[in-house]
Amino acid sequence: MANSGYQPKTALGRFFDSRLPVARLVHDQFVAFPTPRNLNLWYSFGAILGAFLIIQILTGIVLAMHYIPEAGLAFASVEAIEREVNYGWLLRSMHATGASIFFLAVYIHLFRGLYYGSYTAPREIVWVIGVLIYLLMVATAFLGYVLPWGQMSYWAATVITSLFGSLPVVGDSLTNWLWGDFAVGGATLTRFYALHYLFPFLICLLVAAHLWALHQVGNGNPAGIDVKGPQDTLPFHPYFTIQDGFAVAAFLVVYAGLVFFAPDAFTNPDNYIPADPMVTPAEIRPDWYFLPYYAMLRAVPFKLLGVAVMFGAFASPLFAPWLDAAKTRSCRYRPLMVLFFWGFVAACLALGYVGSQTADATIRLGGMEMPLVWLGRLATLYYFAYFWVAMPVVSRIEVPLKTPATIAEPVLKTGETP
């Protein structure tokens, strides 16, 4: 409190400040908090994610009031929400579309962290908690995908949960626990509904820990250098609240356009057919944000190995802080690593494309036609090589460019431009 610049101006403010200093906490951490002055719009995706987390939780709570988690009634309850509940069509469209916007923002946020070295010391814990939030988001989105209980929901649940059966020793027991029975059915739906409702609140706890850890060590910045003095920072408000507010507003415009004019842009048509265990869809395909992992799963011919590869892909980013030993954090000043980074982005996009195609799709290269699955295998290999080969090797052999002496130097154009 001694270092705080907050001074309550009323007797009521002083009363609460001496007993429950919430206003002081908000002022110190979200108003006067010293922030590197060179943060660009790529650093605003944390605010975008916070805004959409709130939207997802609020719309989800209202939808839960009308949803019936029973196999015989779930599909009909979703239809009733869209057709009979006041503005139910809007709430469901907001929730479903919000999931896609949420994942778009989190992927940009993660790529930005990799490019600018946000995972390096002293921000290892910030990065690890962020990856854990992402993994919990993946689980929450999958559980929510099952709840409409359409054809794609049912068969996605069947395919994904059956993957756990390939695990040695515990596979069958774990699969039966997930099902709540001996096959995907009503018990599975009830469990998934309960977990889908619970996980967002766990995400909120992790977000609080993420922000706490971030404010302990301070923000990273595009130059990847430490704050040298007060000339390198600005108070978070109004400078970065305005910047973040602009970014959130821009994303909300795109979000509103999808909600009102293309509400089914990310919905598989098969999910408008009630779940039928006796009829298998011609092609079982997850939502777009799972396609790279789906491509990895299909790229490996053996089920157990495919499961290991998919879960390894989820886990690999957790180790980035200890795999990359470079002293220079930002790829802006790492001419060799930046090439590997953009190759990594291309590999992820290629995996998304492969996952969106049928299993027997082909690609023509140099007048020769080859199965598309081979592109998926090459992209999968590059994905793992980026973390486990490029990061440790390049960080030891690369000669980085000279970084600015201070954050203020390039920003104020008194020396080198970034």
Side-chain angles (χ1 to χ4, degrees):
M1 293 178 65
N3 297 326
S4 174
Y6 176 71
Q7 294 296 332
K9 294 181 172 58
T10 64
L12 184 62
R14 288 190 291 273
F15 173 82
F16 277 102
D17 187 56
S18 63
R19 292 160 177 80
L20 187 64
V22 175
R24 180 179 295 274
L25 175 67
V26 171
H27 177 272
D28 292 347
Q29 299 299 321
F30 299 100
V31 176
F33 184 72
T35 306
R37 66 190 305 153
N38 62 341
L39 296 194
N40 52 35
L41 278 172
W42 296 114
Y43 282 82
S44 295
F45 280 87
I48 293 169
L49 288 167
F52 277 90
L53 177 60
I54 294 171
I55 290 172
Q56 290 301 97
I57 289 176
L58 293 179
T59 55
I61 288 173
V62 179
L63 290 171
M65 296 176 185
H66 302 279
Y67 177 75
I68 303 174
E70 295 181 16
L73 298 172
F75 185 86
S77 73
V78 173
E79 293 295 300
I81 288 171
E82 291 205 341
R83 299 178 184 182
E84 299 177 19
V85 175
N86 288 336
Y87 297 103
W89 61 270
L90 177 61
L91 287 168
R92 189 182 175 219
S93 180
M94 288 176 66
H95 196 69
T97 304
S100 288
I101 297 293
F102 205 179
F103 271 94
L104 175 62
V106 83
Y107 283 136
I108 295 173
H109 195 57
L110 286 168
F111 282 129
R112 187 270 298 165
L114 288 171
Y115 184 84
Y116 288 129
S118 300
Y119 52 83
T120 55
R123 298 176 183 84
E124 303 97 328
I125 299 301
V126 179
W127 174 264
V128 169
I129 295 174
V131 175
L132 292 178
I133 292 171
Y134 168 67
L135 296 179
L136 205 51
M137 280 178 57
V138 168
T140 305
F142 167 68
L143 296 170
Y145 189 66
V146 174
L147 297 186
W149 212 239
Q151 273 289 74
M152 200 54 60
S153 295
Y154 175 86
W155 286 101
T158 301
V159 169
I160 297 301
T161 55
S162 66
L163 295 176
F164 291 94
S166 62
L167 298 175
V169 184
V170 299
D172 291 338
S173 299
L174 183 58
T175 303
N176 288 337
W177 181 83
L178 288 169
W179 287 345
D181 205 333
F182 295 101
V184 173
T188 314
L189 183 61
T190 303
R191 289 177 181 227
F192 281 19
Y193 173 67
L195 292 174
H196 182 68
Y197 197 93
L198 170 66
F199 281 2
F201 298 102
L202 297 181
I203 290 174
C204 287
L205 291 176
L206 283 176
V207 167
H210 188 61
L211 290 173
W212 186 8
L214 177 65
H215 283 226
Q216 282 294 109
V217 297
N219 288 84
N221 60 86
I225 58 178
D226 295 326
V227 171
K228 300 295 194 304
Q231 77 280 0
D232 287 345
T233 63
L234 293 170
F236 186 76
H237 178 77
Y239 299 98
F240 297 101
T241 51
I242 296 296
Q243 178 173 287
D244 290 353
F246 171 78
V248 171
F251 252 66
L252 287 175
V253 169
V254 175
Y255 172 60
L258 290 170
V259 167
F260 289 105
F261 299 105
D264 297 321
F266 304 109
T267 304
N268 192 305
D270 284 348
N271 230 25
Y272 286 107
I273 303 171
D276 187 350
M278 305 304 293
V279 178
T280 306
E283 182 71 22
I284 300 172
R285 188 177 300 139
D287 273 339
W288 71 267
Y289 37 82
F290 294 145
L291 290 175
Y293 303 106
Y294 183 55
M296 291 182 187
L297 185 65
R298 292 195 315 191
V300 181
F302 306 105
K303 186 176 180 181
L304 178 58
L305 184 57
V307 172
V309 166
M310 186 177 71
F311 283 107
F314 283 121
S316 291
L318 285 168
F319 300 94
W322 298 277
L323 293 171
D324 191 345
K327 301 300 181 184
T328 301
R329 298 184 182 120
S330 176
C331 281
R332 180 180 285 181
Y333 302 101
R334 301 179 63 186
L336 183 56
M337 193 61 191
V338 73
L339 298 177
F340 284 95
F341 170 80
W342 288 115
F344 176 74
V345 174
C348 291
L349 293 174
L351 284 167
Y353 172 73
V354 173
S356 69
Q357 304 301 304
T358 59
D360 59 352
T362 59
I363 185 172
R364 183 173 293 277
L365 291 174
M368 195 171 93
E369 196 166 312
M370 61 182 291
L372 190 61
V373 69
W374 281 101
L375 177 60
R377 288 169 181 166
L378 290 173
T380 300
L381 184 63
Y382 189 94
Y383 180 97
F384 284 96
Y386 178 77
F387 289 104
W388 297 98
V389 178
M391 276 190 170
V393 173
V394 173
S395 62
R396 287 168 172 82
I397 66 173
E398 182 179 41
V399 178
L401 302 176
K402 182 182 177 182
T403 58
T406 66
I407 291 172
E409 180 183 307
V411 173
L412 300 178
K413 300 186 184 301
T414 57
E416 167 191 357
T417 54

